[in-house]
Amino acid sequence: MSNLSTGKASERIAGLLDAQSFVEIGSYVTARSTDFNLPEKETPADGVITGYGTIDGNLVYVYSQDASVLGGSMGEMHAKKISNVYALAMKMGAPVIGLVDCAGLRLQEGTDALQAFGELYKNQTDASGVIPQITAVFGTCGGGMGVVPALTDFTFMEKEKARLFVNAPNALDGNTVSKCDTASAAYQSEAIGSVDVAAAESEIFEEIRTLISVLPANNEDDMSYDECTDDLNRVCDGLENCAGDTSIALSMISDDNFFFETKREYAKEMVTGFIRLNGTTVGAVANRSEICDEEGKAVSTFDNVLTSAGCRKAAEFVEFCDAFSIPVLTLTNVKGYKADMHQERKIAKAVADMTYAFANATVAKVNVIVGAAYGSAYVAMNSKSIGADVVFAWPEASVGMMDATSAARIIYADEIEKADNGAALLAEKAKAYAELQSSALSAAKRGYVDNIIDAQDTRKYVIGAFEMLFTKREERPAKKHGTV
């Protein structure tokens, strides 16, 4: 590492990359502007260290902002250095990782800084879907800089001191930071969902390294394979007990129980993240109705329904997987939509976004129905009808318009009302309806489920399905892009 760049910005790079692998680019660059006596101020590297190195031997490009240089503000040359890193990363097909600690645009450089900032936005946009982009916020990331993490694929945030915002909490009408700290890691990760992981600084480096290990380097050259030492036919005893907390189920299915969860504090009723199956990275999306502790006791519960936040979370994740040719596995357990005034304002659009993401994705798609699969909520969850390549169901799964009791109560309303023992008749009619219309077997007989499998055998069946689908090729109608 160059001795021209020292301090916290350099320490963060050293903590992230393989030892002695970083090579700095542009260490002699300083601010170009001469306005407001700027030349009289020291601006080493113009406040940002840029270069490249390796993570587990894989090439990555990095920029790390230095808050000690003019408060970490972004000037013209500062932004151009980051854009240069993007240009190199696009040529080489390697991820870009930004370590952010920035006060915003440098006022002394005015429109020059603004122009360079816009060029950075453009470079990020061009890189989207071509190379993975990761941002880690360690200090301030405000104003226009707050858009930068949103233009990347994954965002990490230091949980105590980092600040992420477009408008500061005190600038919001009727709000103060003491009332609601909208710039905090907790708010950004839990309420907004803009942050994938909030953790201590040292933990963030390990989380990023883990994420890089499962991501392809770019959308064409896939380096996300790893040797599998786990038994491909391993029996997952007790998996049927994890239909509620599907994050545990995904971990049990995965090679060596590996699971990297994204947006882990946001919309917890929908789980998204990466697992490995036979050494291959697979994107996973699953409905969740409970969160269990280490002893298996439920500490949080959710209804088996789709929410607007959960659907948006799933849609964004599936679109990333499709862009980088990462296969998608879904674990489905859903009965309908969350019903309240707040949800009704945006649930239709959110479900449409998720439906479009699944239907439009051309990667291999496998769905496992682990519980209920009712109505159009199930259709949206990677069902056969919108393009799932293979659909499995556990023996006790239900697939239909609604639960059998509710359906029987509607269909046989008059008979039940007139019967001497309405409850017994309802139970009888519900059982008959379940066998005829809402069981896994009835769905399989109609071809909507490809196979009914024991829960404990899920790992070997999904591995087999993805191996069969490895060379999948699927075209879409010729168009510039969809508009959903």
Side-chain angles (χ1 to χ4, degrees):
M1 185 178 294
S2 168
N3 59 9
L4 294 176
S5 302
T6 58
K8 197 66 177 176
S10 292
E11 291 175 10
R12 287 172 179 152
I13 292 175
L16 173 66
L17 301 181
D18 295 341
Q20 303 300 315
S21 71
F22 181 66
V23 178
E24 187 171 0
I25 300 171
S27 60
Y28 291 95
V29 173
T30 58
R32 189 175 67 89
S33 176
T34 59
D35 296 338
F36 302 101
N37 299 318
L38 201 59
E40 298 177 6
K41 300 177 181 179
E42 291 288 333
T43 57
D46 205 33
V48 62
I49 302 171
T50 56
Y52 60 91
T54 60
I55 291 179
D56 293 329
N58 298 314
L59 176 66
V60 295
Y61 288 84
V62 182
Y63 68 87
S64 181
Q65 294 176 313
D66 188 350
S68 68
V69 179
L70 296 179
S73 59
M74 179 179 286
E76 175 195 14
M77 300 307 293
H78 181 127
K80 285 183 178 297
K81 285 181 66 177
I82 299 175
S83 292
N84 182 51
V85 162
Y86 266 93
L88 288 170
M90 289 287 280
K91 290 177 183 177
M92 295 305 300
V96 172
I97 304 171
L99 310 180
V100 174
D101 191 353
C102 176
L105 282 176
R106 192 174 298 164
L107 295 178
Q108 296 95 322
E109 299 189 29
T111 53
D112 290 331
L114 201 61
Q115 172 66 22
F117 201 41
E119 291 172 358
L120 175 57
Y121 284 172
K122 177 64 164 57
N123 287 324
Q124 287 187 282
T125 303
D126 290 342
S128 181
V130 180
I131 55 174
Q133 302 178 68
I134 298 172
T135 303
V137 181
F138 294 105
T140 302
C141 182
M145 193 65 195
V147 178
V148 169
L151 282 170
T152 60
D153 301 307
F154 303 97
T155 300
F156 298 78
M157 193 169 175
E158 196 279 326
K159 64 181 180 180
E160 299 295 340
K161 299 179 181 179
R163 316 287 295 162
L164 176 58
F165 58 89
V166 173
N167 294 298
N170 290 333
L172 304 178
D173 289 342
N175 187 61
T176 61
V177 69
S178 59
K179 184 184 296 185
C180 182
D181 188 0
T182 55
S184 68
Y187 187 85
Q188 292 290 327
S189 59
E190 297 169 16
I192 298 179
S194 59
V195 172
D196 291 278
V197 178
E201 185 165 319
S202 59
E203 295 172 348
I204 287 176
F205 298 139
E206 287 305 313
E207 294 275 6
I208 294 175
R209 289 178 65 89
T210 300
L211 177 59
I212 286 291
S213 73
V214 297
L215 294 182
N218 56 67
N219 64 337
E220 294 180 349
D221 182 21
D222 188 358
M223 297 193 298
S224 61
Y225 296 100
D226 195 13
E227 182 181 358
C228 178
T229 57
D230 200 350
D231 183 359
L232 303 185
N233 297 313
R234 173 167 53 82
V235 173
C236 301
D237 291 323
L239 189 63
E240 65 277 7
N241 299 322
C242 302
D245 192 345
T246 44
S247 64
I248 297 176
L250 290 169
S251 176
M252 290 178 67
I253 294 168
S254 180
D255 296 349
D256 302 313
N257 304 123
F258 173 87
F259 179 49
F260 185 93
E261 187 174 357
T262 61
K263 297 191 186 303
R264 55 191 67 168
E265 297 300 324
Y266 180 67
K268 293 182 179 181
E269 69 279 358
M270 184 73 78
V271 180
T272 58
F274 297 104
I275 64 175
R276 282 195 184 277
L277 294 173
N278 193 17
T280 301
T281 297
V282 174
V285 179
N287 305 115
R288 177 164 54 186
S289 58
E290 62 184 11
I291 297 176
C292 298
D293 59 19
E294 294 179 357
E295 298 178 355
K297 297 179 181 178
V299 294
S300 298
T301 58
F302 315 97
D303 293 330
N304 293 73
V305 294
L306 296 180
T307 65
S308 56
C311 288
R312 286 197 303 270
K313 175 180 176 179
E316 290 179 7
F317 183 77
V318 172
E319 287 174 349
F320 174 84
C321 290
D322 190 47
F324 289 93
S325 300
I326 298 172
V328 173
L329 170 68
T330 49
L331 302 185
T332 299
N333 184 11
V334 65
K335 295 182 177 180
Y337 308 106
K338 188 172 183 178
D340 61 38
M341 289 293 291
H342 176 71
Q343 289 293 317
E344 195 61 23
R345 296 188 184 100
K346 46 195 174 182
I347 187 69
K349 174 58 177 171
V351 174
D353 289 343
M354 185 180 74
T355 304
Y356 181 87
F358 277 122
N360 192 55
T362 59
V363 294
K365 294 174 287 189
V366 175
N367 187 14
V368 182
I369 302 172
V370 302
Y374 292 153
S376 58
Y378 160 59
V379 172
M381 274 296 299
N382 191 30
S383 65
K384 194 87 167 176
S385 55
I386 65 169
D389 299 297
V390 179
V391 177
F392 298 115
W394 290 355
E396 301 304 317
S398 300
V399 185
M401 286 293 295
M402 61 182 69
D403 70 273
T405 301
S406 298
R409 186 178 285 114
I410 295 171
I411 295 173
Y412 302 104
D414 292 341
E415 295 180 40
I416 293 170
E417 185 178 353
K418 295 175 183 177
D420 293 334
N421 191 339
L425 181 60
L426 175 60
E428 178 186 337
K429 296 296 185 181
K431 181 180 179 181
Y433 182 89
E435 294 175 354
L436 185 66
Q437 282 284 349
S438 63
S439 67
L441 181 59
S442 66
K445 288 180 177 180
R446 292 169 169 82
Y448 307 138
V449 169
D450 294 297
N451 203 353
I452 298 173
I453 62 174
D454 289 334
Q456 65 181 10
D457 295 327
T458 301
R459 171 175 163 82
K460 72 177 182 181
Y461 274 100
V462 294
I463 287 176
F466 281 123
E467 285 186 347
M468 179 271 292
L469 293 165
F470 184 75
T471 56
K472 175 187 175 183
R473 296 292 182 269
E474 187 176 16
E475 299 297 328
R476 290 286 180 264
K479 56 185 174 182
K480 189 173 181 180
H481 57 73
T483 58
V484 176

